[in-house]
Amino acid sequence: MALLKIRGRGVAANTLQPLPAAAGSPARAESDERVITFADVFGRDAGGLIVLLVLFGALTLASGEFLTSNNLANLARQVAVFGIIAVGQLMVILTAGIDLSVGSVLGLTGCITAELLVHGMGIVPAILVGLAAGAAIGVFNGALVAYVKLPPFIVTLGMLGIARGVVLVLTNASTVQPLPDSFGNIANGSFLGLPNLLWIFAAVVVAASFILRRTVFGRYVYAVGSNPESARLAGVPVTRVLVAVYAIAGSLAALGGVLFTSRLNAGIPTAGTGYELNAIAACVIGGASLFGAKGGAFGAAAGALIVGTLNNGGNLLAINSFYLQIIIGALILAAVAFDQWQGRRTRT
């Protein structure tokens, strides 16, 4: 039997892997013949992707309208916005934190962008200001968590109320319109036959996956979520990593706000209400652990698609939306219970 050596992912939790066996040995032959599985490629993301494929297959059989181009385009537009938010939420969850303010930040930054457009600012500067506002809110949240040591739940719950209150005051609780048609084309247009929102969503997911899997910062994120004190002793700048992940979450919430506003071509003060819960649900259903250090961007994207597909399929099959809420809640409980069971099984 080949000897074992310790190998880790960056400074995160270690795993045992066999040392390479000599050429021609049974262990080497077995390794050469091993088939690469779906789980080998996507890791913890595989579960969510498999559920998504099964769900797509079931709805294809149940409804002839599901795979039509119009329905899939609508599904992509519905999922893209809170899917982008889910990717930002994932970054925070990987550090064992939570961000309850992303829905309110979406509404605030979308209306800031709309107000600037109504008052004559150019489209690109207005979008940049909206994104900067979201990043600034994220930095503020991260600073309170990292430096003041306040619980993430309390910090972001407070920001949820602050951001929602500010947008209602800013807009006097009224819709901000009219906006330029060219701004609406950003979210409602298409490229190569696919909605622009889908391209943007895919770009965000791929970029986040690359950062988490292939960069030092990504390894730092997992390390902080695994054990912040051990990460600090290993030289990881824990406070800066925490501020960075909340800034990313705020920036992606702002991007979602800009796209949501573009899609409706109007600033809606109540936009994003409940989106923080959808984002958390997408991450958990996609394989992320609320205890940190487990999960990936493709899993969060799959979770967002599962939630969106359930709602879309329910509409096509005329299923009461209240039942869909029950199903989504049950999926969250099942995902968390399965994660706990896996953790206990690993420890034993």
Side-chain angles (χ1 to χ4, degrees):
M1 180 177 178
L3 295 175
L4 295 175
K5 69 177 181 178
I6 301 291
R7 293 184 64 187
R9 184 176 185 178
V11 291
N14 293 327
T15 56
L16 290 176
Q17 296 185 356
L19 285 168
S25 69
R28 177 61 178 270
E30 181 181 350
S31 176
D32 290 341
E33 295 175 0
R34 186 176 182 276
V35 177
I36 297 177
T37 65
F38 197 69
D40 291 329
V41 178
F42 292 102
R44 285 177 63 92
D45 300 351
L49 292 170
I50 291 172
V51 171
L52 180 63
L53 292 175
V54 171
L55 185 59
F56 260 68
L59 288 175
T60 300
L61 295 175
S63 173
E65 298 179 6
F66 179 71
L67 282 184
T68 61
S69 58
N70 286 337
N71 183 64
L72 292 179
N74 288 332
L75 175 61
R77 292 188 178 98
Q78 291 166 5
V79 169
V81 172
F82 79 82
I84 290 171
I85 297 174
V87 173
Q89 185 74 253
L90 172 72
M91 294 284 193
V92 176
I93 288 177
L94 288 176
T95 62
I98 201 79
D99 191 344
L100 299 177
S101 68
V102 289
S104 296
V105 172
L106 179 150
L108 175 59
T109 54
C111 284
I112 287 175
T113 304
E115 286 282 0
L116 293 174
L117 290 172
V118 166
H119 287 84
M121 181 176 283
I123 292 176
V124 173
I127 291 175
L128 292 177
V129 172
L131 296 178
I137 293 172
V139 169
F140 181 76
N141 286 341
L144 291 180
V145 171
Y147 294 102
V148 186
K149 307 298 182 184
L150 295 180
F153 182 90
I154 299 301
V155 170
T156 57
L157 180 63
M159 184 54 68
L160 180 154
I162 293 172
R164 187 63 68 188
V166 169
V167 68
L168 292 173
V169 171
L170 178 67
T171 62
N172 198 26
S174 301
T175 301
V176 183
Q177 58 183 4
L179 303 183
D181 291 338
S182 54
F183 177 70
N185 291 336
I186 295 174
N188 295 309
S190 61
F191 178 69
L192 297 178
L194 296 175
N196 290 342
L197 281 177
L198 182 59
W199 287 109
I200 297 171
F201 178 36
V204 169
V205 172
V206 170
S209 180
F210 177 82
I211 290 171
L212 290 173
R213 291 174 178 267
R214 302 297 180 186
T215 68
V216 174
F217 175 75
R219 292 194 290 271
Y220 284 174
V221 170
Y222 284 100
V224 171
S226 178
N227 190 320
E229 183 58 24
S230 296
R232 185 186 65 81
L233 294 175
V236 175
V238 175
T239 52
R240 281 183 287 171
V241 170
L242 287 174
V243 172
V245 295
Y246 282 93
I248 292 172
S251 299
L252 290 180
L255 176 60
V258 170
L259 295 175
F260 187 94
T261 303
S262 172
R263 186 184 174 203
L264 299 180
N265 212 25
I268 310 296
T270 57
T273 301
Y275 272 38
E276 58 278 346
L277 301 180
N278 285 334
I280 295 169
C283 293
V284 173
I285 293 172
S289 172
L290 293 176
F291 299 97
K294 296 177 182 178
F298 285 111
L305 283 167
I306 289 170
V307 174
T309 303
L310 281 172
N311 289 323
N312 180 264
N315 292 333
L316 293 176
L317 299 175
I319 298 175
N320 191 320
S321 62
F322 299 145
Y323 290 118
L324 295 175
Q325 292 181 15
I326 295 172
I327 293 172
I328 293 171
L331 282 175
I332 295 172
L333 292 177
V336 174
F338 181 73
D339 181 67
Q340 290 287 289
W341 175 78
Q342 272 194 323
R344 289 194 296 268
R345 186 182 179 188
T346 302
R347 288 192 293 269
T348 57

